[in-house]
């Protein structure tokens, strides 16, 4: 029974992302372009709930640069890390809904944290206006290059032989990194000590330094260190191998069929943003993401471009993700400690 539930939980987050991607490709053409707006007439701020160097920050800065080129005003990324992205989400929810404060929505603050933290100062279901899906982020399971395990199966066997002696780093309690690892360990019947960090950089640095054993983090944040040989990748979370690391097998290949997990990033705004601005931003963002150079650059970083045709489509996906990740949080009884 537990295995069948886990299979459902594993499939749900990716399934909703895939449904959105297919919808974007097959839906009727987007609504006719609205009349050109006097927007933006001043710089636009994009709030990011994670530190510089994380996947969310990297994607946000690339998008900000391209939107600035297209729309003739600066798009400024402001990092407000903490509480798994919820600090930035709270600030964004209270911002004036005039189109000059936007946020990078993500699996953690929009779909996971509301089920983990008791006292969030925002409602993920009502306080935000969807603009559009940006990317899907595969996760890499990485260890120190000196770790004797040559693959995930060997690593998990060692973890099972030493219950609660090995450690795994994440980007915080209740983050996608935490939940993806929880699902993997549950399926393997292994237990490790969780060490939460505020971001990817310090977590990976501590693995290199031998202070933490492993992490399951986004490919965007870990790819450079894997390519430089400072980290060793044992598995990728997607159902198929990724082009950037063709020699790294999937989790599914290594004894866990059906394992298919990751995270999404999208652009959102405070609820109440004028619909014309919401539509304009969606159209401009999708134009940016349709550019082959942008898609190639994101692919090189380890992100998979996926878009939604309209803000309403993205809103449906966000609702589904909220429900799917809530099931995972309840299954593993994940709660914040403060």
């Amino acid at each position: 029974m537990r295995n069948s539930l886990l299979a459902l939980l594993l499939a749900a987050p990716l399934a909703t992302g895939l449904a959105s991607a297919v919808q974007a490709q097959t839906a009727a053409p987007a609504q006719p372009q609205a009349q050109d707006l006097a927007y933006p007439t001043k710089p636009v701020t994009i709030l990011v709930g994670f530190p510089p160097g994380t996947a969310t920050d990297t994607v946000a800065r690339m998008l900000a640069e391209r939107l600035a080129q297209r729309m003739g005003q600066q798009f400024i990324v402001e990092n407000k890390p903490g509480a798994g992205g919820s600090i930035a989400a709270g600030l964004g929810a209270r911002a004036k809904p005039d189109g000059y404060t936007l946020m990078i929505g993500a699996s953690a603050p929009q779909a996971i944290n509301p089920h983990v933290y008791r006292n969030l100062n925002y409602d993920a279901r009502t306080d935000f206006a969807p603009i559009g899906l940006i990317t899907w982020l595969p996760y890499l399971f990485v260890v120190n290059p000196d770790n004797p395990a040559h693959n995930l199966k060997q690593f998990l066997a060692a973890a099972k032989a030493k219950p609660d002696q090995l450690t795994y780093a994440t980007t915080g309690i209740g983050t996608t990194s935490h939940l993806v690892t929880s699902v993997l360990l549950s399926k393997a019947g292994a237990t490790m000590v969780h060490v939460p960090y505020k971001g990817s950089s310090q977590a990976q640095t501590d693995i290199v330094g031998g202070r933490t054993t492993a992490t399951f983090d986004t490919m965007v944040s870990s790819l450079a260190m894997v390519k430089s040989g400072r980290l060793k990748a044992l598995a990728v979370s997607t159902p198929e191998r990724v082009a950037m690391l063709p020699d790294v097998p999937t989790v599914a290949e290594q004894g866990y069929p059906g394992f298919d997990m990751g995270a999404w990033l999208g652009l959102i705004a405070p609820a109440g943003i004028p619909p014309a601005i919401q539509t304009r931003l969606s159209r401009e963002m999708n134009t940016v993401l349709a550019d082959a150079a942008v898609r190639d650059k994101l692919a090189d970083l380890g992100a998979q471009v996926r878009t939604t045709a309209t803000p309403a489509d993205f809103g449906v996906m966000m609702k589904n993700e909220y429900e799917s990740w809530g099931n995972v949080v309840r299954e593993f009884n994940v709660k914040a400690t403060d």
Side-chain angles (χ1 to χ4, degrees):
M1 182 72 177
R2 180 179 176 87
N3 287 340
S4 62
L5 176 57
L6 278 172
L8 275 174
L9 297 178
L10 284 169
L14 179 57
T16 52
L18 280 173
S20 298
V22 171
Q23 187 174 28
Q25 293 167 3
T26 61
Q31 297 173 0
Q33 294 185 2
Q35 287 183 331
D36 287 341
L37 303 166
Y39 169 87
T41 59
K42 61 181 181 181
V44 177
T45 297
I46 300 179
L47 298 175
V48 172
F50 299 92
T54 57
T56 310
D57 174 76
T58 302
V59 172
R61 291 181 186 279
M62 184 180 300
L63 180 65
E65 179 184 358
R66 294 298 182 129
L67 287 176
Q69 293 171 1
R70 286 191 58 81
M71 301 181 76
Q73 286 287 345
Q74 282 185 296
F75 280 69
I76 302 168
V77 172
E78 285 191 9
N79 297 88
K80 301 290 184 181
S86 289
I87 289 177
L91 292 171
R94 297 190 299 273
K96 186 176 180 180
D98 57 2
Y100 290 95
T101 300
L102 307 175
M103 292 149 282
I104 297 296
S107 301
Q110 266 61 56
I112 298 173
N113 295 358
H115 307 285
V116 173
Y117 293 89
R118 292 190 299 270
N119 299 309
L120 292 182
N121 59 352
Y122 65 90
D123 188 326
R125 296 164 294 183
T126 60
D127 287 347
F128 305 103
I131 293 172
L133 181 64
I134 303 171
T135 60
W136 182 262
L137 303 176
Y139 274 59
L140 282 179
F141 192 90
V142 297
V143 297
N144 186 290
D146 293 332
N147 192 292
H150 296 295
N151 53 54
L152 183 65
K153 188 174 290 189
Q154 291 179 2
F155 180 90
L156 292 173
K160 289 178 69 174
K162 301 176 181 179
D164 293 322
Q165 293 184 43
L166 304 182
T167 56
Y168 71 94
T170 72
T171 51
I173 294 172
T175 58
T176 313
S177 173
H178 181 197
L179 294 182
V180 171
T181 310
S182 296
V183 170
L184 175 64
L185 293 176
S186 176
K187 289 178 76 67
T191 57
M192 297 172 63
V193 176
H194 179 208
V195 183
Y197 289 79
K198 288 186 176 180
S200 304
S201 298
Q202 187 59 49
Q204 293 173 13
T205 297
D206 278 3
I207 292 172
V208 173
R211 291 176 287 277
T212 313
T213 311
T215 189
F216 216 154
D217 205 349
T218 62
M219 188 169 167
V220 172
S221 62
S222 50
L223 182 61
M225 294 189 77
V226 169
K227 285 191 165 185
S228 69
R230 299 181 69 196
L231 290 174
K232 177 168 64 175
L234 300 183
V236 63
S237 68
T238 46
E240 295 159 355
R241 297 192 186 196
V242 293
M244 297 304 299
L245 295 172
D247 295 330
V248 177
T250 67
V251 174
E253 284 180 79
Q254 300 185 70
Y256 304 95
F259 194 97
D260 180 6
M261 300 188 78
W264 55 266
L265 300 178
L267 191 64
I268 61 176
I273 184 175
I277 294 178
Q278 184 182 16
T279 300
R280 170 90 185 277
L281 284 166
S282 173
R283 187 176 70 239
E284 295 288 354
M285 187 181 78
N286 281 349
T287 300
V288 166
L289 294 172
D291 184 280
V294 172
R295 297 175 77 89
D296 289 346
K297 189 169 183 180
L298 285 169
D300 288 344
L301 291 171
Q304 300 174 345
V305 173
R306 298 187 186 182
T307 60
T308 40
T310 67
D313 292 336
F314 186 40
V316 170
M317 176 190 159
M318 289 174 64
K319 179 178 182 295
N320 291 338
E321 288 285 300
Y322 182 95
E323 295 170 355
S324 295
W325 281 114
N327 289 336
V328 178
V329 170
R330 286 186 289 273
E331 167 69 8
F332 293 98
N333 194 29
V334 177
K335 296 294 180 185
T337 55
D338 47 30

